[in-house]
């Protein structure tokens, strides 16, 4: 049975981003996907919008992950070579719609998002083809578009290059626990791990039931789209939203990262992952587009499609289970889930790496106490001493390198990785000191020093947990 640090369930953008984040930080990772490839669900069939974050309710996970995800997305797209356009977005309002824009602007200010209300004249400079009915707009320059399925595939590829395994056609059939670890049964065999991250999207509710974790109810809404020929791409300069409603952000007009244009989505309640496009939904799009865009070109449609978003309450669920330690639920990642994905991955990966540091402290404490109780003679070797010194230098370089990168991109998970390297330096230095000092005394110096280092590692691991949460969320998620 394969044994690994972390198993991720679900090969959508959140699952692949988390696999990438963990693999780059040295964790052993297996990602399980029930389909025949990654990006076969909602991560393939969505708008591909990188949302600015002005419409999220302040102090929610959506708001926090959206803001951080937007900050990360453009660098990530450049690193991975994923098509994208930072083209901004407009929320178009007719006469009398200014109050709705002011509400959005107030949320933007609370969420730390750049946005401004602009006149029709200024809006036309940004998007010349606005409808004649549009009088004012909310402009958010940090928004844009990206290829969602190419992003997901590239994240999975980089995760594999860094040691992760991606197993397709591996639906999880059973989750049990043995010897303090989880055992997951799939058609491809059983796997054992210390941590499970449920990123199963539309299937997340069922996975939680299998694990005996917290239950929640999922609501499904289908979004239908028109895709227009690339010849229409030059006519749409930015993402155009109507004023949002209780059903969602509304039917938009947007360029795609691949040079096409999309109209949509609708928001139709469905039972389960039903992605069959409906004619009445397409008629709804035909009626809505002219309200914000004056050059509808339905005659240039090259295809229609639909995706289903899984909604769990009013906010994302991103947390460790209270009843199943080591089991993380990442569910209800509807809009702005694509934008939030890198930030969710950073948070979950940083938290798991921090806990792994604490586990390392426990192991060191246990072995050190055993050495104090049953001391053994230290065998000195110049070769061993040379290896230990080399390991200290390498780990010290990794500490400074990761700390520098973490500060540059404001990454809590990479900061946690740097602390992991530092604890390795200290632990190895203690081994070196014990190797040398053991030649001159029978006192169990290696055991005592090991306990002291273990205490330091506990402190560092707990600090890493807090640093992972605080910059992004402002407070622990359980509060």
């Amino acid at each position: 049975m394969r044994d690994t640090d972390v198993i991720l369930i679900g090969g959508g953008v959140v699952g692949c981003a988390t696999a990438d984040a963990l693999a780059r930080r040295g964790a052993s990772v297996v990602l399980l996907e029930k389909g025949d490839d990654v990006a076969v669900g909602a991560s393939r069939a969505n708008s591909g919008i990188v949302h600015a974050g002005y419409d999220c309710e302040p102090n929610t996970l959506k708001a926090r992950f959206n803001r951080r995800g937007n900050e990360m997305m453009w660098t990530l797209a450049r690193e991975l070579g994923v098509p994208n356009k930072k083209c901004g977005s407009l929320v178009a309002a007719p006469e009398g719609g200014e109050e709705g824009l002011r509400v959005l602007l107030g949320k933007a200010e609370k969420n730390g998002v750049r946005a401004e209300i602009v006149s029709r004249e200024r809006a036309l400079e940004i998007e010349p083809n606005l409808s004649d009915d549009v009088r004012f707009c909310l402009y958010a320059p940090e928004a844009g578009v990206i290829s969602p399925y190419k992003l997901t595939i590239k994240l999975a590829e980089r995760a594999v290059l860094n040691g992760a395994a991606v197993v397709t056609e591996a639906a999880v059939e059973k989750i049990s626990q043995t010897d303090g670890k989880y055992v997951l049964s799939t058609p491809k065999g059983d796997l054992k791990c210390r941590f499970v991250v449920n990123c199963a999207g539309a299937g997340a509710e069922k996975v939680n039931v299998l694990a005996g974790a917290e239950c929640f109810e999922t609501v499904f809404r289908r979004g239908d789209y028109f895709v227009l020929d690339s010849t229409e791409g030059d006519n749409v300069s930015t993402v155009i939203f109507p004023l949002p409603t209780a059903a969602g952000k509304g039917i938009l007009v947007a360029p795609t990262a691949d040079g096409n244009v999309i109209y949509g989505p609708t928001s139709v309640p469905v039972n389960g992952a039903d992605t069959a496009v409906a004619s009445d939904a397409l008629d709804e799009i035909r009626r809505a587009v002219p309200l914000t865009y004056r050059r509808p070109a339905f005659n240039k449609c090259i295809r229609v499609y639909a995706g289903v978003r899984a909604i769990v309450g009013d906010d994302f669920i991103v947390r460790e289970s209270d009843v199943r330690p080591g089991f993380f639920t990442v569910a209800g990642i509807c809009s702005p889930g694509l934008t939030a994905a890198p930030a969710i991955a950073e948070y979950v990966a940083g938290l798991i790496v921090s806990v792994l540091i604490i586990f390392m402290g426990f192991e060191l404490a246990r072995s050190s106490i055993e050495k104090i109780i049953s001391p053994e003679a230290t065998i000195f070797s110049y070769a061993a001493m040379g290896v230990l010194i080399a390991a200290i230098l390498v780990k010290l370089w990794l500490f400074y390198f990761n700390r520098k990168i973490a500060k540059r991109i404001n990454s809590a998970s990479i900061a946690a990785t740097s602390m992991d390297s530092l604890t390795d330096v200290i632990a190895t230095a203690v081994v070196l000191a014990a190797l040398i000092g053991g030649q001159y005394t029978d006192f169990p110096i290696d055991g005592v020093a090991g306990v002291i280092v273990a205490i330091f590692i506990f402190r560092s691991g707990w600090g890493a947990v807090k640093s992972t949460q605080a910059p992004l969320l402002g407070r622990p998620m359980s509060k």
Side-chain angles (χ1 to χ4, degrees), residues 51-72 107-108 110-113 314-316 318 336-337 339-347 410 468-479:
H51 292 283
Y54 52 77
D55 62 329
C56 299
E57 288 297 323
N59 299 316
T60 60
L61 297 186
K62 285 184 178 181
R64 291 161 174 160
F65 283 125
N66 189 154
R67 184 191 67 244
R68 175 61 179 154
N70 181 286
E71 293 172 353
M72 300 175 67
K107 290 181 179 179
K110 291 179 180 178
N111 292 337
V113 175
D314 296 326
D315 203 0
F316 295 158
V318 183
T339 312
I344 293 172
E346 178 187 51
Y347 172 75
N410 190 27
T468 297
Q469 292 182 340
L472 181 66
L473 304 180
R475 66 180 193 274
M477 291 176 56
S478 61
K479 293 184 179 180

